[in-house]
Amino acid sequence: MLKPLNNFQKKVGVVFLIVLLFFLWLSIPLRSPLFDTTYSTIILAEDGSLLQAYTNPEEQWHFPPQEEVIPEKLKKAVLTFEDKRFDSHIGIDLLAILRAAKSNIQAGKVVSGASTLTMQVARLRHDHKRTLWYKISELFDALKIDWQYSKGEILKLYLDHAPFGGNVIGYHTASLKFFGKHPAQLTWSEAATLAVLPNAPGLIYPTQRNTSLIDKRNSLLLKLKEAGHLDEQAYILAKIEPIPTQFLTFESTIPHAGRWLKSQYPDSNILQTTIDKQLQQSSQYVAEKHRSILAPYGIYNLSILVADTRTGAIKAYVGSPAFFDAAHQGQVDGVQAARSSGSILKPLLYALSIDEGLILPNTLIRDLPTYFDGFSPNNANEDFQGVVTAKEALISSLNIPAVRLLNSYGVYQFYAFLKMAGVSTLFRDADAYGLPLILGGAEVNMWDMVMLYRGLANGGVFTPNNILQEDITEEGENLISKASTLLTLDMLKEVSRPGSEYYWQKYSRQQPIAWKTGTSYGHKDAWAIGVNPQYTIAVWVGNFTGESNKNLSGAASAGPILFDLLQSFPTDPTSSWFAINDIDFHPKAVCELSGLAAGEACMAVDTVSAPYNMKALRKCDYHQKRYFSEDGRYQTCSQCWSELGAVSEKVTYYPPDIAFYLRSKGQYIDDIKPHYPSCPSFQSDDAIRIIYPNPSARLFLPRDYNGQVEQVVCQVGHRDNTSKIYWYLNEQYIGNTQGTHKLAVTFQQGKNELKVIDENGSEDSRSIFAQLKQ
């Protein structure tokens, strides 16, 4: 049987239980994070420097705590001023409490405090009124904080959340706001100033010479000298340093990007970006410079986006050159705004068409009046070449070859490519865009266009852009062959447009650049996008109001900005042009004239490098093997060989519509002899072609001043430049032409049938709907 406990044992048991409960209480984790604080949002450059800062919801400047070591000068100054025995006490300083109690009793009022830094951390957590109850609560909180946190962590918690005057919270914020420098760069005088401010934050207001703040700082400097932390000379120099006279304004380097990032990442207080501060400042300078150049012409807005070509890291982001220009919508973010693409999607189509086997750079594409079910594209210069190489069509940005190429490639296939590559602004389906998609009928933004051009530069692998360092990725979709992208970039490298030759020639002596310009319908948007192995740069120029301006063009407005940027950016001396790997290509025999796969009749054959996996290129049909009579007057076939003979010859054959325009440009075209008219198998062939009006055209017929319906000049192309052509309208003969085949025709209201026949019986016809214009 157990003996009952005596009084001593009971007392020991009670003490033990109290101690046990106390240590159990100490072991209960404090909430994490210790401070339930809303911080400012800060946006940093890739080197950690500040780009943009925003106050917290309480309109305070309170930068979020960062992983950094407290500078020794600041640490010594704070501990000397606030808590000399910080490293040895347990969160509360019993000696300081006894000393303060004695002083206060003797004085009959509170003349001295005994708060440790740990107790101040406890007080900052709750910010309660200074009552006895809460003072006791702080003591217990301080014990618990000291138990669960290291001394270094407690010091940093204090400095990160201490008030420094005005709406400035935290030592890092104060260091930047008062001295314009990071804490590691503080002098002894500056460190001492920050050390004394939390004790009396109201002293920072510099309405007059602040002797109280100076006295507090100098008193602390003396203590630091006496403690051996600084020598006599350092002490003297520190005393004569001025105190802050104003709150410094945080620079606003990326206002548009900052606002966009803040909306995209509302729960992040520290946004570590990929922005290169030097490139950002250079881009802003160029933007402001060209804004002043363009403003007299009624052009007030422009935007710039620069990315690292390989990684997609955004290096410069200028939404507009003047964020606070309310008169011209300066706060609109031109980088994210959707605008008409103009011609800047063409390089992607050309690269895809190479893979599809539709073209190689020297393949001829028709540049003729073209009509697609109500859509009739036209070139910017309102001229027609007849045929041009794919390379000439791309670098001259001809619209008709691009539309014909898109029609061959497929609108839906091209639309699907844009979606897979990451274009985010296409809100209609492919049919709704149709063929005008390639001429600016689609809305795109600069962000996506930089991504697309980077894809061309990265061998057809399309990866997203990124502006935060944590988001960089090199994984993407391989949508175009590397060989096709290299051929396309080589074509774009030779772009030279009217109005920008000076800039191109000046820059081409330094580093090659593949670039493309674009102008939207109605002259509302001007683009220039350039790419090399180091940078991908997009420039947009226009007015955020969307108004037209005849002074706007990609070459004249955006092109000079592009080259100004390129010349202001540092160049990597180790960077060269995109490397060609022979394994991606194979030799391909093509016709020297047409650039199509060489046939038996081709008179000159060239060997070019073609993508290894491209689809079969169409065989050349510009050269044909034909048979002629022995006297050379007629073409013959097996039905008339016995009568006239069969002399085989290789001939260059241009369809009549192409021949018409080539001749109009001064090119000599050999006439091909007609087929023997008495041959039993003779049939009308395609020697003749109506060029205008277009197939199934709808014409609006104006009246002249006396009310007469005006005539329409129709054009016909013929393979034989000397042939005579007979014209018929609605089965009625209306005239003939020879040499140049143009005739003014009076169409009737409603449906008309136009027919033309040559001397050999070759014919062409066209249905035309005419409507009188009231």
Side-chain angles (χ1 to χ4, degrees), residues 505-768:
Q505 291 166 2
K506 184 176 180 180
Y507 187 76
S508 65
R509 291 195 296 268
Q510 300 178 36
Q511 187 178 9
I513 182 82
W515 65 297
K516 181 75 180 70
T517 62
T519 308
S520 68
Y521 178 78
H523 295 270
K524 297 180 180 181
D525 308 277
W527 293 86
I529 304 181
V531 60
N532 64 23
Q534 191 172 0
Y535 303 114
T536 301
I537 305 172
V539 176
W540 173 88
V541 179
N543 288 305
F544 290 145
T545 58
E547 62 193 75
S548 298
N549 190 315
K550 287 294 184 182
N551 295 308
L552 269 175
S553 75
S557 305
I561 300 174
L562 172 66
F563 289 111
D564 237 3
L565 290 166
L566 286 166
Q567 292 179 63
S568 68
F569 290 172
T571 301
D572 182 358
T574 65
S575 179
S576 58
W577 191 242
F578 302 100
I580 293 178
N581 192 336
D582 291 339
I583 198 172
D584 297 320
F585 294 90
H586 71 100
K588 177 72 176 174
V590 298
C591 174
E592 194 176 84
L593 173 69
S594 69
L596 295 166
E600 295 180 358
C602 291
M603 302 173 189
V605 176
D606 194 10
T607 301
V608 299
S609 294
Y612 188 81
N613 292 316
M614 76 176 287
K615 294 183 180 179
L617 190 65
R618 179 167 61 92
K619 186 166 288 189
C620 176
D621 54 2
Y622 285 84
H623 293 108
Q624 300 176 6
K625 186 176 182 181
R626 298 203 176 183
Y627 294 91
F628 296 89
S629 60
E630 292 182 355
D631 61 7
R633 295 178 58 195
Y634 299 105
Q635 288 188 54
T636 61
C637 66
S638 58
Q639 297 294 314
C640 53
W641 284 347
S642 58
E643 182 179 351
L644 299 178
V647 178
S648 174
E649 290 186 20
K650 296 178 181 179
V651 297
T652 301
Y653 171 79
Y654 289 103
D657 48 356
I658 292 177
F660 174 85
Y661 283 101
L662 291 179
R663 287 190 178 113
S664 71
K665 297 296 179 183
Q667 182 171 335
Y668 175 75
I669 305 294
D670 282 331
D671 293 330
I672 298 180
K673 302 301 179 183
H675 200 95
Y676 180 46
S678 301
C679 176
S681 66
F682 171 76
Q683 294 180 350
S684 162
D685 58 18
D686 63 348
I688 189 172
R689 186 82 48 85
I690 295 175
I691 297 173
Y692 184 82
N694 294 310
S696 303
R698 297 176 67 90
L699 299 178
F700 290 91
L701 306 176
R703 298 178 184 271
D704 61 19
Y705 66 94
N706 60 8
Q708 294 294 316
V709 177
E710 293 188 1
Q711 294 181 309
V712 176
V713 177
C714 301
Q715 295 181 350
V716 170
H718 198 283
R719 205 170 53 204
D720 184 354
N721 200 33
T722 63
S723 179
K724 180 180 286 189
I725 292 178
Y726 301 89
W727 297 66
Y728 296 84
L729 181 65
N730 301 324
E731 302 300 330
Q732 299 293 318
Y733 174 73
I734 56 173
N736 67 79
T737 56
Q738 190 167 7
T740 300
H741 302 295
K742 294 183 179 181
L743 188 69
V745 177
T746 303
F747 289 100
Q748 301 174 6
Q749 171 86 354
K751 186 177 181 180
N752 296 264
E753 189 73 22
L754 179 66
K755 181 184 288 187
V756 289
I757 305 174
D758 71 3
E759 298 166 302
N760 298 315
S762 295
E763 65 178 62
D764 191 20
S765 62
R766 190 149 297 175
S767 294
I768 298 145

Side-chain angles (χ1 to χ4, degrees), residues 244-264:
T245 58
Q246 61 180 347
F247 289 175
L248 301 178
T249 301
F250 291 129
E251 60 182 323
S252 178
T253 309
I254 52 168
H256 298 88
R259 187 174 59 181
W260 177 70
L261 280 168
K262 200 168 182 291
S263 68
Q264 294 293 306

Side-chain angles (χ1 to χ4, degrees), residues 352-371:
L352 290 164
S353 297
I354 292 174
D355 275 342
E356 194 64 18
L358 299 175
I359 56 169
L360 284 171
N362 290 324
T363 301
L364 293 180
I365 307 177
R366 293 188 175 209
D367 181 28
L368 303 163
T370 303
Y371 187 88

Side-chain angles (χ1 to χ4, degrees), residues 25 92 119 122-123 125-126 128 131-145:
W25 174 80
I92 59 175
M119 292 171 64
R123 182 170 66 249
R125 288 181 67 204
H126 303 294
H128 293 304
T131 65
L132 178 61
W133 169 250
Y134 284 116
K135 189 70 174 176
I136 294 172
S137 175
E138 284 175 15
L139 291 175
F140 282 96
D141 268 0
L143 290 171
K144 197 166 188 177
I145 291 170

Side-chain angles (χ1 to χ4, degrees), residues 295-534:
Y297 299 95
I299 304 168
Y300 301 104
N301 303 117
L302 64 94
S303 306
I304 296 167
L305 187 64
V306 182
D308 180 293
T309 295
R310 187 182 61 82
T311 66
I314 299 301
K315 297 300 179 185
Y317 186 124
V318 180
S320 79
F323 184 78
F324 295 105
D325 182 8
H328 301 105
Q329 295 77 42
Q331 293 193 21
V332 173
D333 186 352
V335 170
Q336 301 297 334
R339 302 286 172 181
S340 168
S341 61
S343 298
I344 55 178
L345 293 176
K346 288 177 182 176
L348 287 307
L349 174 62
Y350 278 72
L352 290 164
S353 297
I354 292 174
D355 275 342
E356 194 64 18
L358 299 175
I359 56 169
L360 284 171
N362 290 324
T363 301
L364 293 180
I365 307 177
R366 293 188 175 209
D367 181 28
L368 303 163
T370 303
Y371 187 88
F372 292 102
D373 191 25
F375 174 52
S376 182
N378 207 348
N379 293 325
N381 59 8
E382 299 184 352
D383 196 9
F384 309 97
Q385 302 299 318
V387 286
V388 291
T389 65
K391 180 177 179 179
E392 292 170 333
L394 179 58
I395 66 177
S396 298
S397 199
L398 298 178
N399 291 335
I400 292 173
V403 172
R404 296 181 73 98
L405 198 57
L406 180 58
N407 185 61
S408 298
Y409 182 78
V411 173
Y412 178 79
Q413 287 83 350
F414 186 62
Y415 173 89
F417 157 77
L418 294 176
K419 283 284 193 178
M420 287 188 291
V423 175
S424 60
T425 51
L426 301 176
F427 64 93
R428 294 176 282 177
D429 58 28
D431 290 337
Y433 288 108
L435 291 172
L437 172 66
I438 199 63
L439 301 184
E443 52 289 317
V444 299
N445 61 32
M446 296 182 73
W447 185 274
D448 291 348
M449 292 314 304
V450 164
M451 176 186 62
L452 289 182
Y453 275 70
R454 284 183 44 249
L456 281 178
N458 289 322
V461 177
F462 292 82
T463 60
N465 302 328
N466 51 80
I467 195 168
L468 297 184
Q469 292 186 7
E470 62 190 38
D471 293 339
I472 294 178
T473 176
E474 295 185 15
E475 296 181 2
E477 292 285 336
N478 193 178
L479 303 176
I480 309 176
S481 75
K482 184 176 182 181
S484 293
T485 61
L486 288 172
L487 291 176
T488 304
L489 291 170
D490 278 344
M491 289 191 281
L492 292 175
K493 190 169 61 171
E494 299 186 28
V495 169
S496 181
R497 301 289 298 282
S500 61
E501 290 91 347
Y502 165 75
Y503 295 95
W504 169 245
Q505 291 166 2
K506 184 176 180 180
Y507 187 76
S508 65
R509 291 195 296 268
Q510 300 178 36
Q511 187 178 9
I513 182 82
W515 65 297
K516 181 75 180 70
T517 62
T519 308
S520 68
Y521 178 78
H523 295 270
K524 297 180 180 181
D525 308 277
W527 293 86
I529 304 181
V531 60
N532 64 23
Q534 191 172 0

